[in-house]
Amino acid sequence: MKILLTRRLHDFAIKELKMKYKVEVYTGKIPMPKKLLISKIKDKDGLICYPYDSIDADVINAGIRLKAISTFSVGHDHIDVKTASSRGIVIGYTPEVLTRATADLTIALMLALFRRIPEGDKLIRNDKWRTIFGPYEFLGTDLYQKTLGIFGMGRIGKAVARRAAGFEMNIIYHNRTRLSLKEEKRLGIKYVSLDNLFRTSDVVSIHSPHTPQTHEIINLKLFNKMKKTAFLINTARGKIINEKDLAIALKRKIITGAGLDVFQKEPINSRHPITKMNNVVLMPHSGSATVETRKKMAEIAVKNLILSLSGRKPIYQVRV
Ligand code: 8YV
């Protein structure tokens, strides 16, 4: 069987795949151009792809021999799951292993904003540090007893709640479906409406998948309901937020700041209006970017593909 990788994966993973299949790895500029992807997929049985690859109906239908897609991600909004499933193509993904790393980065962004870490770093490097212990100088905000509003209470949302509990924050959440009372109690979280989440939180953190229902669901209408002192954090998907509205909210100081790991179009560059603002902390889509997590994701992505191509169930399967 022949498989295609839209970029290089860990050496151990390539080695394992090469023992079983004829492997073609795209090594050009990322992402792999769509035209090339369409021409290369024609004779392939399996595909390993990433969130920035658009695996739409054109790609799937060009893959006339395609039996399995394995994405190196928990998110699968880049794959036309309906079209793939109607063709009987199995889709594997990599949840769970990246939950902790993504939750850790969320807390890191929160601390960076509350304690002004990038600002402090810049201040010293620019030789602007003059005095210490001034009563009003370089003050941040306590996390203690602040209200964290979690939008999307799946695996990552819950991991963020567990971490935030350690900082003694009040945790409220909004989710498509409410959790059981037992689980709410165990996590120490309270269910609220979307409106309430934005009205009462000191920091809102996004952890839902990007779906037609959540597309740009976070917009100026909601920002206008937030406290002037509040922060917004997004380590989920850029397209859940209306980015133009966010830029307005940050510029007009409707909210105090934002910590962003994901954007509508990635990578962003310094021409993007959000990069001009001082009240944001930015990361280059790195929720799962730790040595340990990425290795586990590669292991699962490979296993998912091998299992699917041998007619078995992948470890984690995306279903319609
Ligand atoms: C990706 C992500 O793993 O898993 C996801 O959905 O967004 C990231 O953690 C990363 O972009 C590498 O594919």
Side-chain angles (χ1 to χ4, degrees):
M1 285 199 214
K2 292 183 184 172
I3 64 162
L4 175 69
L5 276 69
T6 63
R7 78 172 298 156
R8 213 186 121 224
L9 197 55
H10 300 65
D11 290 343
F12 78 85
I14 306 262
K15 212 169 134 191
E16 198 176 336
L17 291 168
K18 279 191 172 161
M19 290 194 313
K20 288 195 167 354
Y21 313 112
K22 193 159 186 295
V23 179
E24 185 167 345
V25 182
Y26 169 73
T27 54
K29 196 170 164 256
I30 302 289
M32 184 172 185
K34 182 143 180 224
K35 259 195 177 161
L36 187 63
L37 178 54
I38 285 176
S39 82
K40 292 287 183 190
I41 200 81
K42 284 192 176 122
D43 63 343
K44 303 297 186 297
D45 301 278
L47 170 72
I48 295 190
C49 61
Y50 296 79
Y52 47 73
D53 296 312
S54 167
I55 312 300
D56 58 14
D58 295 339
V59 175
I60 293 166
N61 291 329
I64 45 176
R65 295 166 51 111
L66 200 60
K67 297 164 193 67
I69 298 172
S70 172
T71 184
F72 190 83
S73 61
V74 60
H76 43 77
D77 54 325
H78 55 298
I79 303 172
D80 183 341
V81 178
K82 260 197 190 143
T83 302
S85 302
S86 71
R87 288 250 332 266
I89 296 169
V90 178
I91 306 168
Y93 71 135
T94 64
E96 286 185 13
V97 288
L98 50 68
T99 299
R100 290 184 180 86
T102 309
D104 289 352
L105 185 71
T106 305
I107 300 292
L109 288 172
M110 200 149 80
L111 284 167
L113 287 165
F114 275 62
R115 302 305 300 270
R116 305 169 60 183
I117 292 172
E119 254 181 279
D121 180 89
K122 213 151 100 191
L123 180 102
I124 294 176
R125 287 173 201 274
N126 292 340
D127 234 350
K128 297 236 168 79
W129 186 19
R130 299 284 174 261
T131 60
I132 49 172
F133 294 148
Y136 308 110
E137 211 169 299
F138 208 75
L139 304 185
T141 317
D142 282 342
L143 262 67
Y144 174 62
Q145 286 189 345
K146 292 295 182 307
T147 298
L148 164 65
I150 298 180
F151 176 75
M153 195 45 90
R155 296 182 185 93
I156 298 173
K158 287 175 193 165
V160 170
R162 282 194 293 272
R163 281 156 179 71
F167 289 96
E168 301 172 76
M169 299 182 84
N170 304 317
I171 309 160
I172 56 177
Y173 79 101
H174 183 78
N175 197 46
R176 210 170 15 169
T177 45
R178 189 174 168 175
L179 268 54
S180 69
L181 286 175
K182 201 172 147 199
E183 201 161 15
E184 285 184 356
K185 206 170 154 203
R186 193 169 52 80
L187 288 164
I189 59 177
K190 196 175 142 228
Y191 180 81
V192 294
S193 67
L194 184 64
D195 210 74
N196 236 319
L197 190 89
F198 279 78
R199 263 185 216 292
T200 54
S201 295
D202 296 299
V203 50
V204 172
S205 193
I206 312 297
H207 299 289
S208 72
H210 173 239
T211 63
Q213 289 73 41
T214 62
H215 184 76
E216 295 193 1
I217 189 171
I218 315 296
N219 54 27
L220 197 57
K221 226 169 116 193
L222 286 173
F223 296 137
N224 276 326
K225 292 179 179 164
M226 289 175 84
K227 295 181 185 173
K228 225 174 131 50
T229 50
F231 296 102
L232 178 81
I233 294 175
N234 190 7
T235 54
R237 280 290 180 270
K239 289 176 181 161
I240 300 169
I241 296 178
N242 181 315
E243 223 165 62
K244 284 205 178 93
D245 285 2
L246 176 60
I248 293 171
L250 290 166
K251 202 163 171 205
R252 295 191 193 151
K253 303 269 159 61
I254 294 169
I255 62 172
T256 291
L260 305 171
D261 181 46
V262 289
F263 306 87
Q264 287 254 351
K265 198 171 170 298
E266 297 170 357
I268 62 162
N269 56 38
S270 62
R271 287 188 301 277
H272 192 294
I274 281 179
T275 66
K276 311 264 187 275
M277 297 172 184
N278 288 326
N279 50 345
V280 293
V281 178
L282 305 171
M283 281 294 283
H285 198 147
S286 305
S288 68
T290 67
V291 175
E292 300 87 342
T293 295
R294 285 284 167 86
K295 184 166 173 272
K296 285 184 206 151
M297 288 170 72
E299 283 165 3
I300 291 176
V302 167
K303 276 195 191 130
N304 278 345
L305 192 76
I306 293 175
L307 286 167
S308 307
L309 286 178
S310 63
R312 285 173 288 167
K313 268 194 174 54
I315 305 173
Y316 300 104
Q317 183 171 357
V318 178
R319 296 187 187 273
V320 211

